[in-house]
Amino acid sequence: MVDATETTAAARRGRRPERIARITVAWTVVYAGFGLACALSGTPPLRLGGAVGPPVLGWAVVAVAAMAAGLCRAVSGRAPRRVPLTGWWVVCALLGIAAFGLLMDVVTLVFGQGVDSWAAAANHALAATGAVLLAATARSARPAGPASDADRAPAPSAASRPVRLAAWGGTLAFVPYAAMKVLWVTGGTFAGVSGEEMLAASERNGASDLWLTLESWGVDGTVLLAALGVLLLWGLVRPWGQVFPRWTPWVRGRRVPRWLLLGPALVGAATLAPYG
């Protein structure tokens, strides 16, 4: 019975790369169609603030989708299975660059401000989805062997000391930002700019009433994201971040899926790093 169970589990693991590859191929079709529509209609798929990219970049989107489809063929068995990992990560990096701005799109939509360009926002979302799918496909393409104790998820534990120090560094990086917000909400100035001036600038830029109200209290969307970032930092390095909290009885004790923490962490890092 044990041997049969292990055989079934191994068979499922063997089919997993093909299933993920098929999903990724479906994404490549959608992404290529999006790029083709942008190129033929003259709609720029990329935009950064007031800078609008040329519509010809739609063909670049088609090219990236074609590259991703070619990589997926290796997993589906229709091409040599041995593909250098460099190819996977190059395409993932290109998609990560194309996804830049996704976090800002989410923030502006949540607070009712809309987005500068729906085509650019769609490109951000599709590119981020593709990067995740390609990374999952590359990871699942590794040769599958029988299950062992090493393959099972380890018990929740704290990260190593250097990683915890990195979390402390990330937390302290928010301190100047918090000090700036405190000065503004208490009537002070920071770098020669007052809170009233920032509020007036946000109003001129078309900020929603919700955003303006929160900003007048010193807790606008960026502050909420900063608090979420600190929570995410410590959830990644402490045992409590690896299991659902005790106050959620319907999932008590269950492990948090890796993507639930790593997904927001990677999106946040990819968005904030260029600003830094």
Side-chain angles (χ1 to χ4, degrees), residues 168-191:
W168 273 112
T171 303
L172 294 175
F174 286 107
V175 172
Y177 182 73
M180 176 185 71
K181 289 292 184 178
V182 170
L183 284 174
W184 280 347
V185 79
T186 55
T189 60
F190 186 89

Side-chain angles (χ1 to χ4, degrees), residues 72-98:
C72 291
R73 291 183 71 245
V75 179
S76 63
R78 298 174 184 173
R81 195 173 179 85
R82 188 176 180 83
V83 177
L85 283 178
T86 303
W88 293 97
W89 301 126
V90 165
V91 178
C92 283
L94 291 174
L95 290 170
I97 295 172

Side-chain angles (χ1 to χ4, degrees), residues 147-245:
S148 64
D149 292 338
D151 296 327
R152 297 187 178 92
S157 60
S160 62
R161 180 178 175 83
V163 177
R164 295 199 306 273
L165 290 176
W168 273 112
T171 303
L172 294 175
F174 286 107
V175 172
Y177 182 73
M180 176 185 71
K181 289 292 184 178
V182 170
L183 284 174
W184 280 347
V185 79
T186 55
T189 60
F190 186 89
V193 180
S194 66
E196 290 78 6
E197 291 174 322
M198 287 298 300
L199 193 62
S202 296
E203 190 171 4
R204 287 195 304 270
N205 293 332
S208 65
D209 292 338
L210 176 59
W211 182 279
L212 293 174
T213 301
L214 290 174
E215 188 168 359
S216 66
W217 297 342
V219 288
D220 59 17
T222 58
V223 174
L224 298 177
L225 284 174
L228 181 61
V230 173
L231 181 66
L232 181 59
L233 272 173
W234 290 101
L236 287 166
V237 301
R238 301 302 304 176
W240 58 262
Q242 301 170 30
V243 295
F244 285 98

